[in-house]
Amino acid sequence: MSQTIRIAPLTRIEGHAALDIHLDQDGDVSEARMTVMSLRGFEKFVVGRPVEEVPRIVTRICGICPWQHHLASTKAAEACLGVTPTPTATKLRELCQMLATIPDKILHFYFLAAPDFVLGPDSDPAGRNVVGLVGAAPELARKAALMRYKTQMGLEKFAGKVIHPVAVLVGGFSKPLMEEDRRELTALAQEALAFSLESVKLAREQIFPKYLKLFQELGEYPSAYLGLVNPDDGAMALYDGIFRLMDQDGSYDEFPASDYLAHLAEKVEPWSYLKFPYMRKSGRLVMDEKAPVGVYRTNCLARVNVCEGISTPQAHGELEIFRREFGRPAHQAFLYHWARLIELVHCCERALELLADPEIMGRDIRTQPIAPRAGEGVGCVEAPRGSLIYHLKTDHEGMVTAANLLAGTTHNNAGMNLSLKQAAKTAIRGGVYDQGLLNTVEMCVRAYDP
């Protein structure tokens, strides 16, 4: 008799989702799906609003990465209005993006993923969480919680709000960086860099080696990857750059964010509210884990796959270690965790570079004047969960007439479903399963940080 295993809610993720694993009469997995039935609706909420209000509205989409929504939507609004921010404002925005990404990486690795690795995938689910982590590794948990708190508060002290920010303005930034802020943030970024290097060393030498067999067996399948790179040298780019869409064999196409519709298409399925973007050149999306068609992935694993290198030295050193071990492109879903820690190092290093740049101390932080007009614009940054694209259109009064949003988790929707299906088919056979096996299936989705 056929059976459906439902895991709802999927825990230790940043959004809301459920897993449905369908077993056939022999107890083998016939289908597995991640369903997302939470309505956001922001593409409609912003229509009819002044375009300069959009960056303050869309920060409510996500309490974890509101800064990236704030930044990408501002870029789109500026493109509609024909506005270019000043160099100082651009660097202040990138600094805030780095400072916001550091605690996000700490949150995912230590609070959401580490309980599986430190306590074990089949440990008691009642204690397989951050509270259990405190009991098992109190010093590690204390340091992670304290570092996340400090970086959050450092950003809040400078920019006013760490959640639902309002510091970025269309055409600029709301305040200059003062010398006292620069000194305090530099000390904070140095402390965060030391913590990030300790974290990646700990994971690389003591945590991940225990799970390499699991990494190789569950959640792996070939796909394409999308991420921003520097147009001059192909280095990883988180704030500004061009898209590189790398195919399974390592070949790639490059294009500006404004051309995303020529390379990416979208479809919907009746069993989820989350859209399914795919590569337009493939002509269709086939979510077959053995022969996927049109599937691409984003987020940190995609970014380390598509880039030629990382501009900051210690993160680049970690990237070289990663590539010696796994090649390029690497396809194992669990390697998202490893890539995430490499990016944590990069964000700390990049924050220090920006804080040492004299131009960031400038007082020319706003472009004047700005007038409403009919226009169309695309803005993009790399969010922790993947490439974040805003596409806005305005009428002659500067009111929004249309909006399209592709968030990081949306890009990875097909990818997460394929990892889920591959892992479920591998782990569950003949109707035999337990909570430990089901948790390893959950871990495959959790790796994407949805």
Side-chain angles (χ1 to χ4, degrees):
M1 184 176 181
S2 60
Q3 177 188 357
T4 299
I5 304 168
R6 183 166 179 80
I7 302 173
L10 171 61
T11 58
R12 283 184 284 126
I13 63 172
E14 294 167 8
H16 308 280
L19 305 183
D20 291 309
I21 303 172
H22 302 277
L23 307 185
D24 62 20
Q25 292 185 343
D26 296 325
D28 295 332
V29 175
S30 59
E31 184 60 88
R33 290 171 174 166
M34 184 188 79
T35 58
V36 177
M37 304 307 290
S38 300
L39 177 65
R40 290 292 189 265
F42 280 81
E43 290 167 326
K44 295 300 181 186
F45 294 163
V46 300
V47 172
R49 306 298 304 179
V51 70
E52 67 271 20
E53 288 187 0
V54 173
R56 299 192 295 275
I57 294 173
V58 297
T59 55
R60 269 65 181 176
I61 290 176
C62 179
I64 304 298
C65 56
W67 272 94
Q68 286 74 15
H69 285 275
H70 196 38
L71 294 166
S73 60
T74 300
K75 285 185 173 184
E78 288 172 342
C80 289
L81 298 174
V83 174
T84 301
T86 66
T88 295
T90 299
K91 289 181 177 175
L92 288 170
R93 294 176 182 186
E94 185 182 359
L95 174 64
C96 288
Q97 183 192 16
M98 297 301 111
L99 294 175
T101 303
I102 292 168
D104 188 289
K105 303 287 187 189
I106 296 172
L107 170 70
H108 181 83
F109 184 72
Y110 283 104
F111 289 65
L112 305 182
D116 291 322
F117 296 117
V118 175
L119 304 172
D122 57 355
S123 60
D124 181 359
R128 199 171 52 219
N129 48 49
V130 69
V131 176
L133 186 65
V134 171
E139 182 58 20
L140 180 66
R142 187 194 69 82
K143 290 174 69 175
L146 183 60
M147 196 69 253
R148 181 172 186 273
Y149 172 77
K150 284 184 173 181
T151 49
Q152 291 273 83
M153 293 303 99
L155 177 57
E156 180 155 294
K157 184 179 179 186
F158 166 58
K161 298 178 74 174
V162 67
I163 300 175
H164 305 155
V166 294
V168 177
L169 307 174
V170 172
F173 201 84
S174 60
K175 59 178 288 189
L177 182 68
M178 307 306 287
E179 180 57 28
E180 180 184 354
D181 296 324
R182 192 192 66 79
R183 285 198 301 269
E184 290 181 359
L185 291 174
T186 298
L188 179 62
Q190 288 170 337
E191 184 179 357
L193 176 59
F195 178 78
S196 70
L197 291 169
E198 181 183 347
S199 296
V200 73
K201 185 173 187 292
L202 171 72
R204 171 163 46 77
E205 295 182 353
Q206 300 182 38
I207 295 177
F208 293 150
K210 302 175 187 175
Y211 296 97
L212 286 182
K213 187 171 185 295
L214 182 69
F215 285 11
Q216 293 164 354
E217 291 178 347
L218 298 181
E220 181 179 5
Y221 63 91
S223 75
Y225 296 93
L226 177 72
L228 289 176
V229 297
N230 186 309
D232 297 327
D233 59 7
M236 176 187 289
L238 299 180
Y239 182 74
D240 260 333
I242 58 171
F243 274 126
R244 179 176 284 184
L245 182 57
M246 175 177 282
D247 222 326
Q248 300 175 19
D249 60 2
S251 62
Y252 58 81
D253 297 315
E254 292 184 339
F255 55 91
S258 56
D259 288 349
Y260 81 101
L261 285 175
H263 298 268
L264 308 178
E266 302 176 13
K267 67 173 294 188
V268 296
E269 295 285 356
W271 42 270
S272 179
Y273 286 171
L274 196 61
K275 297 186 290 190
F276 289 83
Y278 62 96
M279 292 192 295
R280 186 175 292 279
K281 68 180 182 181
S282 299
R284 59 191 176 128
L285 176 66
V286 179
M287 290 189 286
D288 180 338
E289 72 279 9
K290 295 180 179 176
V293 177
V295 176
Y296 71 92
R297 290 185 271 182
T298 63
N299 197 328
C300 46
L301 180 61
R303 292 190 285 260
V304 302
N305 275 334
V306 303
C307 74
E308 297 302 320
I310 300 178
S311 62
T312 54
Q314 299 194 78
H316 184 74
E318 291 295 332
L319 175 64
E320 290 184 329
I321 295 172
F322 179 89
R323 285 185 172 166
R324 282 198 296 271
E325 186 78 21
F326 303 106
R328 180 192 180 202
H331 294 299
Q332 300 164 22
F334 283 113
L335 293 180
Y336 271 98
H337 295 298
W338 198 317
R340 189 165 290 119
L341 293 176
I342 295 173
E343 286 193 343
L344 173 61
V345 175
H346 172 60
C347 290
C348 297
E349 290 184 292
R350 182 60 185 150
L352 286 169
E353 286 183 346
L354 288 162
L355 287 162
D357 186 336
E359 195 167 41
I360 203 168
M361 301 297 294
R363 295 297 180 264
D364 184 17
I365 56 174
R366 296 179 194 168
T367 299
Q368 300 284 353
I370 299 173
R373 71 173 195 179
E376 179 174 359
V378 176
C380 177
V381 298
E382 287 291 341
R385 273 144 291 285
S387 308
L388 175 56
I389 301 173
Y390 273 82
H391 185 180
L392 301 174
K393 296 180 181 178
T394 56
D395 63 17
H396 69 283
E397 295 181 327
M399 309 297 279
V400 177
T401 58
N404 190 38
L405 168 58
L406 280 176
T409 297
T410 307
H411 291 287
N412 275 339
N413 196 9
M416 288 186 287
N417 274 279
L418 281 184
S419 283
L420 164 64
K421 189 188 300 185
Q422 190 275 346
K425 286 186 174 181
T426 303
I428 302 171
R429 298 179 187 275
V432 177
Y433 62 89
D434 56 24
Q435 66 86 15
L437 283 177
L438 292 180
N439 187 51
T440 58
V441 174
E442 288 186 59
M443 287 170 62
C444 287
V445 178
R446 205 171 285 137
Y448 291 84
D449 190 18

